[in-house]
Amino acid sequence: MVVPESLQTLNKYARFWTVGCPSGGQGMCHTYAIRLLVLAINVGTIWALNGARVDGDLSWVAQLAGMVMQLNYFLTWRQARTHLSFENLIKARERTIHLLEDGGRPDLAKKVDEEIIKSASRGRCYTDNIIIFLLCAPAAWQIIGKGNAVRAIVFQICFAATDHMNNMSGFDWSVLCQLHSLQVELFHDTLEVAFTDLATATSQEEERRFSVSEGAGGAQEKGGGVARQPTNVELLESTEFFKEEWVLQMSVKFVDICKTIALTTEHLGKWKAFDIFSMIATAGLIGFQMLVDRVTIEALVIVAGTLFFSISNIMDAVATNKQLKRVRALSWDCYGELMSHSLLFKGEEDVEAGSSLSYKQIVNSAKHLLNIIQTSREGLKIGDVEYSLDLVKKILSISFSFGMVIFKTANLTEFTGEPMVDRFTGDANSTLADVIGYLKE
């Protein structure tokens, strides 16, 4: 299968940083040169942060937040060097395209290259770098390099390069989550069509029995006889639920999809969780600095940026788990439909004469649906916690609560022109503890 140009671009940048490639993918000189480059970038960032702290332009809390991000980026790069992200992504892409084409959904198959891969390539290689460079500029020139252009330039270049390295180290997480979502969407749509056929078949059978019952009552009034009901029910050929082989294949395919999702969690979940929570910790540390020092526009921009990127990483997994929940809900509906109408297709002479196996097929189909329901419970997780909107809501709720505390108690001189504590206590020398005590009163 031909590899699209967008995926080749991702691989080119990843190979430059010596990540996501097999052992020996680059020459020894290239490998050692990148190691020295990564070392130089981290040293340059530490030098800029420490210089700003020594000059009094940066607190130790903000320096600690920057070092947390550095550690996160370095460990992500180190882990990605042994993880064959490009080769694994090639396999996942081919498998997804074959699955979608075999399932009769060429529209979904086109999304793999034209939307998912292309979007990842454009974002990770170009767009995200520009955004980070612009977000980093206020902090670099107004805080880190305040009055020192060399320090500002070094910090901005080093941080942008580190972030680009991190993009190349973790692009496969987002892409794999979106591929899983397409696979589950195909399964859900196929199951939904079959469920519609099943509902049609049961409705027609109920109408047929009702009409037969009315005909039997009329015949009994006229001639005293009872019309014989046919025992061998002719089912709709399009009703897949009456074909045990089809339901078995659906069950096997879905279990296979869930296994690949479990592998993604196993191989990428731990470091992705570390990546997400390190960014949240960075935002929290910078927020704490504003609480004890003063609120600035630059700090607010950094907090908003780190929260945005951490939540965007969560949302990729949330979308996959949301599709799994849709399958689980539809499987329950299918199971209920089968169980509530199963006796419609069980004639009195079927068991004795063996003329129909439809009832047995329905029971077996119900068993496979229960298997699907049970399997769909395992989605992408952080440890034992499933990625969901509830997790995002908790993060935003905590951030909002902490933000309200900051705006009520911190120094807002950049926005108000006067210390916040003056308006509470009338004393410019009041401490944070004094303000908190005043608020409690």
Side-chain angles (χ1 to χ4, degrees), residues 277-312:
F277 285 114
S278 64
M279 285 191 284
I280 294 175
T282 301
L285 287 171
I286 295 176
F288 182 74
Q289 179 208 359
M290 290 190 290
L291 182 65
V292 299
D293 186 9
R294 65 191 181 93
V295 179
T296 62
I297 296 176
E298 295 81 6
L300 290 175
V301 170
I302 295 172
V303 170
T306 51
L307 285 177
F308 170 78
F309 285 109
S310 61
I311 291 176
S312 64

Side-chain angles (χ1 to χ4, degrees), residues 156-180:
Q156 186 157 6
I157 292 176
C158 289
F159 192 84
T162 306
D163 185 77
H164 182 257
M165 179 183 70
N166 185 65
N167 283 340
M168 293 302 102
S169 301
F171 69 87
D172 52 338
W173 167 261
S174 175
V175 174
L176 285 174
C177 287
Q178 294 179 68
L179 291 180
H180 291 321

Side-chain angles (χ1 to χ4, degrees), residues 395-425:
I395 294 174
L396 292 177
S397 176
I398 294 173
S399 302
F400 180 78
S401 300
F402 192 30
M404 289 297 99
V405 173
I406 292 174
F407 279 104
K408 285 183 178 180
T409 61
N411 187 342
L412 299 176
T413 52
E414 185 165 332
F415 302 93
T416 63
E418 61 177 344
M420 189 72 173
V421 290
D422 289 357
R423 289 185 284 146
F424 279 109
T425 64

Side-chain angles (χ1 to χ4, degrees), residues 122-184:
R122 182 173 57 249
R124 299 283 177 161
C125 297
Y126 307 108
T127 310
D128 289 356
N129 302 311
I130 296 173
I131 293 175
I132 289 296
F133 190 83
L134 295 176
L135 287 176
C136 181
W141 292 92
Q142 298 297 324
I143 300 177
I144 307 298
K146 190 176 182 180
N148 191 325
V150 175
R151 188 192 300 159
I153 293 173
V154 169
F155 178 78
Q156 186 157 6
I157 292 176
C158 289
F159 192 84
T162 306
D163 185 77
H164 182 257
M165 179 183 70
N166 185 65
N167 283 340
M168 293 302 102
S169 301
F171 69 87
D172 52 338
W173 167 261
S174 175
V175 174
L176 285 174
C177 287
Q178 294 179 68
L179 291 180
H180 291 321
S181 296
L182 282 183
Q183 295 170 3
V184 179

Side-chain angles (χ1 to χ4, degrees), residues 140-345:
W141 292 92
Q142 298 297 324
I143 300 177
I144 307 298
K146 190 176 182 180
N148 191 325
V150 175
R151 188 192 300 159
I153 293 173
V154 169
F155 178 78
Q156 186 157 6
I157 292 176
C158 289
F159 192 84
T162 306
D163 185 77
H164 182 257
M165 179 183 70
N166 185 65
N167 283 340
M168 293 302 102
S169 301
F171 69 87
D172 52 338
W173 167 261
S174 175
V175 174
L176 285 174
C177 287
Q178 294 179 68
L179 291 180
H180 291 321
S181 296
L182 282 183
Q183 295 170 3
V184 179
E185 183 180 351
L186 167 69
F187 184 90
H188 176 272
D189 293 346
T190 305
L191 191 63
E192 189 172 36
V193 171
F195 176 58
T196 302
D197 291 341
L198 173 64
T200 301
T202 53
S203 298
Q204 289 183 0
E205 177 60 14
E206 286 179 334
E207 293 176 359
R208 186 192 67 80
R209 293 210 172 194
F210 180 75
S211 62
V212 168
S213 176
E214 284 188 337
Q220 188 172 12
E221 289 181 0
K222 292 181 180 180
V226 179
R228 180 178 176 81
Q229 297 184 17
T231 57
N232 189 11
V233 181
E234 295 181 0
L235 304 175
L236 292 179
E237 294 182 359
S238 60
T239 307
E240 305 285 6
F241 278 111
F242 298 112
K243 301 175 183 178
E244 184 180 1
E245 181 182 357
W246 179 86
V247 182
L248 175 61
Q249 290 178 354
M250 288 284 287
S251 179
V252 171
K253 287 181 179 179
F254 188 73
V255 170
D256 186 46
I257 291 172
C258 289
K259 283 182 178 179
T260 60
I261 293 176
L263 288 174
T264 300
T265 300
E266 179 182 352
H267 293 292
L268 302 178
K270 290 182 180 179
W271 72 261
K272 179 51 65 174
F274 178 78
D275 181 34
I276 292 170
F277 285 114
S278 64
M279 285 191 284
I280 294 175
T282 301
L285 287 171
I286 295 176
F288 182 74
Q289 179 208 359
M290 290 190 290
L291 182 65
V292 299
D293 186 9
R294 65 191 181 93
V295 179
T296 62
I297 296 176
E298 295 81 6
L300 290 175
V301 170
I302 295 172
V303 170
T306 51
L307 285 177
F308 170 78
F309 285 109
S310 61
I311 291 176
S312 64
N313 283 328
I314 295 175
M315 292 305 297
D316 292 328
V318 168
T320 302
N321 289 340
K322 186 177 180 180
Q323 290 285 4
L324 284 173
K325 290 180 180 178
R326 291 180 64 205
V327 169
R328 188 186 312 164
L330 182 57
S331 299
W332 273 119
D333 292 340
C334 295
Y335 178 77
E337 184 76 12
L338 283 172
M339 289 295 95
S340 60
H341 297 95
S342 60
L343 293 180
L344 284 175
F345 307 100

Side-chain angles (χ1 to χ4, degrees), residues 2-12 113 117-118 121:
V2 179
V3 178
E5 183 180 355
S6 54
L7 191 54
Q8 292 178 2
T9 302
L10 277 171
N11 183 47
K12 180 176 66 176
D113 289 338
I117 302 294
K118 186 177 292 186
S121 179

